[in-house]
């Protein structure tokens, strides 16, 4: 689990959500975003859109699996605006 504050330069609309889903899908581990009592699969574009995140929101990145530490770190950096591209 990693708590991060959303801080994306372009906000959190369709394109950044798609990039996040693409990034999360690169990991074998399960990746979930917890926000406002919701637990959403970060590999689901429709699920991520339901969160309606905006800059300044605090979310929890929850990962479980073989590469969970790397997944939590990369997704956390992306949400914080540190990592801006999916590799």
């Amino acid at each position: 689990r990693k708590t991060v504050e959303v801080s994306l330069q372009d906000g959190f609309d369709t394109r950044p959500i798609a990039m996040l889903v693409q990034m999360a899908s690169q990991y074998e581990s399960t990746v979930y975003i917890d926000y406002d009592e919701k637990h959403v699969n970060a590999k689901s574009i429709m699920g991520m859109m339901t969160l309606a995140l905006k800059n300044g929101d605090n979310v929890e990145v929850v990962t479980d699996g073989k590469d969970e530490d790397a997944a939590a770190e990369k997704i956390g950096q992306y949400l914080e605006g540190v990592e801006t591209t999916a590799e």
Side-chain angles (χ1 to χ4, degrees):
R1 291 182 175 266
K2 178 181 176 94
T3 302
V4 298
E5 181 178 326
V6 177
S7 181
L8 295 173
Q9 182 177 3
D10 297 328
F12 206 71
D13 60 11
T14 306
R15 184 172 177 275
I17 290 172
M19 288 180 67
L20 175 67
V21 169
Q22 177 185 0
M23 187 180 298
S25 296
Q26 295 175 357
Y27 295 96
E28 284 185 42
S29 297
T30 59
V31 181
Y32 285 88
I33 306 295
D34 287 355
Y35 174 69
D36 195 27
E37 299 183 22
K38 293 180 184 173
H39 184 71
V40 174
N41 184 345
K43 296 179 183 182
S44 164
I45 195 159
M46 294 306 289
M48 289 303 301
M49 289 179 150
T50 66
L51 291 179
L53 296 175
K54 57 189 177 303
N55 284 337
D57 288 342
N58 288 309
V59 301
E60 197 162 347
V61 180
V62 182
T63 57
D64 185 38
K66 180 169 115 172
D67 52 3
E68 63 189 31
D69 292 336
E73 186 65 26
K74 188 78 165 181
I75 300 298
Q77 287 177 346
Y78 178 76
L79 289 170
E80 291 174 330
V82 174
E83 179 63 44
T84 57
T85 59
E87 294 176 358

